[in-house]
Amino acid sequence: MTDTDLPRLNIAVLLPCYNEGKSIASVVIGFRKALPSARIYVYDNNSSDDTSSQAAFAGATVVPSRRQGKGNVVRQMFADIEADVYIMADGDGTYDPSAAPRMIDTLLADRADMVVGTRRNVTEDAGRNGHAFGNRLFNKIYRALFGSEFTDIFSGYRAFTRRFAKSFPASSPGFEIETEMSVHASSLRLPVSEIEFDYGRRVEGSESKLSTFRDGFRILRMMGMLMKETKPFVFFSAVSAVLFGTATLLSLPILVEYFETGLVSRMPTWMLAMTLTLGAMMSFTAGVILDSLARSRIEQKRIHYLSIAPARGEGGIGGRMQRTEDDPATYLQDLSRKTGT
């Protein structure tokens, strides 16, 4: 694909950054070369180095983002920017800007709402052994909980339609945002695609902002929260099974003693077992009720998603350049002008 192949496609490149002064200029220049007509935005998340000046010097529009955390920045970017197609990448130089046209090609050809640029060999060498292990572990957990649509849920290199960007709630504050994007697509069963590319290394002197244990815990907590919100029956049934299993283990010796002697010598343990059994029943009931509410929420999200024009190049921003016949009021106005009535 060349840039002239899509004259009506409005593309925005979004780069959330925190202290990426050593690499951001080359990243911006790379995207300007790969997508000459795209608008490039660098959202500076309270950097203490020269990220903003380097990005502006390279030709990007720099926007301050005061609320700390990548998820907060992404929420602001999607709210601020209007475009047909959004390309999101990191400012650390690990993602290849020359792959962006291929991602847009895939987005249009597959009529997808999100294309994820999966990182080749990222689970074998992610800069640190802890990161590599975490990638393998969390991708397996994701596939077990939410589905097998994705092989690299942590990739920050993604292409979106306007429909996805404007329907995505983005509640995560930090690095969990990519996981939330994936769950959003899986729960609404949106069309998604993946393409693989080489994963680069940071420039010398640049440090990763990802903490293996702290952010790993946050991601795991986010997965649990999203599981509770999107699949409450499965979540609360699992809780119910754990409580009931524990109650059974505690009560079996007491029941055996009762049938043999007619006595209950460990009354506190029996009371604890009964309390856990009641908790298991309540948890299961909550799962049944909340499952109906979750289905209703997903239906509402789906309706909102469908109310947004897809704008995969059919028109300008938000589909405003689409055929006038698709808008009855505009069509009647044009018809009146043509007929002189």
Side-chain angles (χ1 to χ4, degrees):
M1 182 193 73
T2 63
D3 195 59
T4 56
D5 291 333
L6 299 168
R8 295 191 300 171
L9 192 63
N10 195 300
I11 303 170
V13 177
L14 308 179
L15 304 172
C17 289
Y18 174 65
N19 287 345
E20 300 293 359
K22 295 182 180 298
S23 57
I24 188 60
S26 61
V27 173
V28 171
I29 292 171
F31 276 108
R32 288 182 63 188
K33 182 179 179 181
L35 300 169
S37 67
R39 294 169 293 137
I40 301 176
Y41 297 89
V42 171
Y43 276 67
D44 185 5
N45 195 203
N46 302 313
S47 296
S48 57
D49 63 1
D50 59 347
T51 295
S52 291
S53 59
Q54 289 291 330
F57 180 76
T61 300
V62 179
V63 181
S65 184
R66 301 306 183 197
R67 191 178 290 275
Q68 198 67 37
K70 185 177 182 179
N72 293 321
V73 179
V74 170
R75 180 164 50 251
Q76 182 180 347
M77 292 190 303
F78 283 175
D80 285 352
I81 307 302
E82 293 285 346
D84 291 330
V85 172
Y86 300 78
I87 297 288
M88 187 182 79
D90 292 339
D92 57 11
T94 55
Y95 297 120
D96 182 12
S98 65
R102 187 156 60 101
M103 294 179 70
I104 297 175
D105 244 354
T106 304
L107 190 78
L108 301 178
D110 294 354
R111 299 195 67 79
D113 280 306
M114 178 170 66
V115 174
V116 181
T118 62
R119 300 164 291 177
R120 189 177 289 117
N121 299 325
V122 68
T123 57
E124 298 175 11
D125 182 10
R128 292 191 223 169
N129 291 331
H131 290 185
F133 173 76
N135 270 286
R136 290 193 297 270
L137 175 64
F138 284 118
N139 276 288
K140 288 181 180 179
I141 293 175
Y142 184 92
R143 288 192 288 271
L145 295 179
F146 300 105
S148 57
E149 295 95 342
F150 302 100
T151 59
D152 185 8
I153 61 170
F154 296 141
S155 174
Y157 200 6
R158 301 183 182 224
F160 312 94
T161 59
R162 182 178 184 274
R163 175 177 276 178
F164 185 99
K166 296 303 182 182
S167 68
F168 175 55
S171 61
S172 305
F175 284 104
E176 318 94 289
I177 191 68
E178 285 91 359
T179 303
E180 188 183 0
M181 289 176 179
S182 302
V183 173
H184 178 69
S186 295
S187 62
L188 293 188
R189 301 180 184 179
L190 305 183
V192 296
S193 297
E194 291 184 331
I195 61 172
E196 190 179 49
F197 62 91
D198 290 326
Y199 184 50
R201 289 186 174 274
R202 287 176 165 270
V203 298
E204 186 176 352
S206 176
E207 296 181 359
S208 173
K209 314 306 182 297
L210 181 66
S211 171
T212 300
F213 296 104
R214 183 193 63 203
D215 291 305
F217 173 76
R218 288 177 178 175
I219 292 167
L220 187 62
R221 182 179 61 185
M222 173 58 65
M223 282 188 173
M225 188 274 290
L226 291 172
M227 184 71 178
K228 176 179 70 70
E229 295 296 322
T230 61
K231 296 184 177 182
F233 180 76
V234 177
F235 180 87
F236 285 101
S237 292
V239 173
S240 176
V242 171
L243 293 176
F244 186 75
T246 304
T248 301
L249 291 176
L250 291 173
S251 62
L252 277 177
I254 299 174
L255 290 173
V256 171
E257 179 189 23
Y258 175 77
F259 287 121
E260 289 178 350
T261 65
L263 300 174
V264 178
S265 61
R266 293 183 290 175
M267 184 59 69
T269 304
W270 176 252
M271 295 299 296
L272 175 60
M274 293 300 98
T275 301
L276 292 176
T277 301
L278 289 173
M281 296 171 61
M282 293 174 64
S283 180
F284 182 81
T285 303
V288 173
I289 296 172
L290 292 176
D291 188 65
S292 297
L293 294 177
R295 289 176 183 273
S296 176
R297 288 184 61 196
I298 290 175
E299 288 174 359
Q300 292 300 317
K301 286 183 179 181
R302 182 76 184 179
I303 291 171
H304 175 62
Y305 158 81
L306 291 173
S307 70
I308 302 170
R312 295 186 182 90
E314 296 91 341
I317 297 175
R320 286 197 290 267
M321 289 174 58
Q322 58 190 335
R323 296 178 304 133
T324 56
E325 292 90 338
D326 295 336
D327 184 348
T330 305
Y331 177 67
L332 289 174
Q333 291 174 5
D334 290 346
L335 184 61
S336 296
R337 284 196 296 268
K338 290 177 182 178
T339 59
T341 60

